[in-house]
Amino acid sequence: MNPADLASFYEVAVCKGVRRASERLDIAPSALSKHIKRLEGELGIKLLDRSSRGVVLTPAGEVCLHYAEEVLHGQRRMLAELEALKGLRNGHVKLYSTEGQIEFVTQTVAGFQQRYPGVTFEIVVAGTETTLAAVTSGDADLGLAFTPTPHDAIECALRISAPLEAVMAPTHELARRKSISLREMLNHRTALPASDFGIRRLIDSICAGERLRVAPAMVTNSIAAMKNYARNQGGITILSHMSIHHELDAGDLVSIPLSHPILGKTCVDVCVLGRRRLPQAVSAYLQHMRKHVRTLYGQDTGRR
């Protein structure tokens, strides 16, 4: 559908006449009529009834006008946002994040500052509950949290699929498996996060329900320690791709899907305070994050 045809139809419909629309757009009436005839031909249905008094929308025209309003208004919003981004010279973003997402955060911040070097960032590594509390209090503009529980005051501005997988050295005996059950993973030496981590709470909950014994060989509050443990052939750990992207690319670690359905549906939410109008720099960084997720992970993303 030609955008010029749709825009011409919209003006004629709003002005209720070709001549009035031509004066408003400074376009010859014959050119406007040609656009509308082409649109009607493409759609295969009559949109306007013409008379000496002007034009009247047909039922199909009413439908087309509603669509045209949405398209043209969306286009105007997009152009306004792009103009705002052109003028983005400074600003500050304070962001809280659980440790597993820091690699993703620093990567997106570095990419964003290449385009907007005047925008500064403050990044705080914290647990899920602390992150959500910082967003709720307004201390954080954004908070990245692993599978957070719903919160009345918080909205999810961006949701990133982050299924948990068994992570190990390429030489581990299970490294060539297509998938692994949680029970099988726990029968090997494992490194698990501390009990206040979202990953650990989820595993403990599943194991309690299925009567699985959790006896990790190592417990730590450091994602880096978990990765190093697996890389140095200490055993298996459990993380998402967001935490081990570079190690996987380098061949230092491999990840095997876990067959449990809950572990395959975990996600990372980028949280904002509900109903808050985001500062320009924060909004622009969110847009950059969405583009990064689509490019890096091939995911469509939810948005505020």
Side-chain angles (χ1 to χ4, degrees), residues 48-64:
L48 299 170
D49 282 325
R50 298 163 180 84
S51 70
S52 58
R53 295 183 178 180
V55 298
V56 178
L57 290 171
T58 65
E62 295 282 358
V63 173
C64 190

Side-chain angles (χ1 to χ4, degrees), residues 20-61:
R20 285 191 291 273
S22 72
E23 292 172 355
R24 180 170 173 177
L25 295 175
D26 195 22
I27 297 175
S30 59
L32 280 179
S33 296
K34 189 177 295 185
H35 283 304
I36 293 170
K37 285 180 180 178
R38 187 164 57 192
L39 181 61
E40 289 178 325
E42 183 179 354
L43 297 177
I45 194 167
K46 192 174 184 181
L47 302 176
L48 299 170
D49 282 325
R50 298 163 180 84
S51 70
S52 58
R53 295 183 178 180
V55 298
V56 178
L57 290 171
T58 65

Side-chain angles (χ1 to χ4, degrees), residues 5 69 86 152 195 209 282 290 298:
D5 295 345
E69 287 175 339
K86 289 179 184 178
D152 290 341
S195 58
V282 178
R290 292 188 184 103

Side-chain angles (χ1 to χ4, degrees), residues 166-244:
V167 177
M168 62 202 76
T171 54
H172 194 280
E173 62 182 284
L174 299 179
R176 296 186 180 276
R177 293 283 296 276
K178 297 294 184 183
S179 67
I180 302 172
S181 70
L182 183 58
R183 182 186 297 275
E184 189 172 13
M185 189 194 88
L186 294 174
N187 284 335
H188 289 75
R189 282 182 300 157
T190 59
L192 294 180
S195 58
D196 60 338
F197 275 56
I199 293 176
R200 181 61 184 275
R201 287 199 297 269
L202 182 60
I203 292 173
D204 287 347
S205 175
I206 292 172
C207 289
E210 299 186 3
R211 298 184 178 180
L212 298 178
R213 181 171 175 265
V214 183
M218 185 181 85
V219 174
T220 177
N221 66 349
S222 167
I223 298 293
M226 293 167 64
K227 292 194 290 187
N228 287 332
Y229 179 80
R231 185 167 48 226
N232 291 315
Q233 304 179 45
I236 304 174
T237 191
I238 181 168
L239 292 165
S240 75
H241 269 65
M242 290 183 72
S243 303
I244 55 171

Side-chain angles (χ1 to χ4, degrees), residues 157-172:
L158 171 61
R159 177 160 289 162
I160 308 167
S161 175
L164 290 174
E165 298 183 334
V167 177
M168 62 202 76
T171 54
H172 194 280

Side-chain angles (χ1 to χ4, degrees), residues 259-272:
S259 58
H260 198 284
I262 293 178
L263 300 179
K265 294 180 180 179
T266 51
C267 61
V268 171
D269 283 1
V270 181
C271 302
V272 297

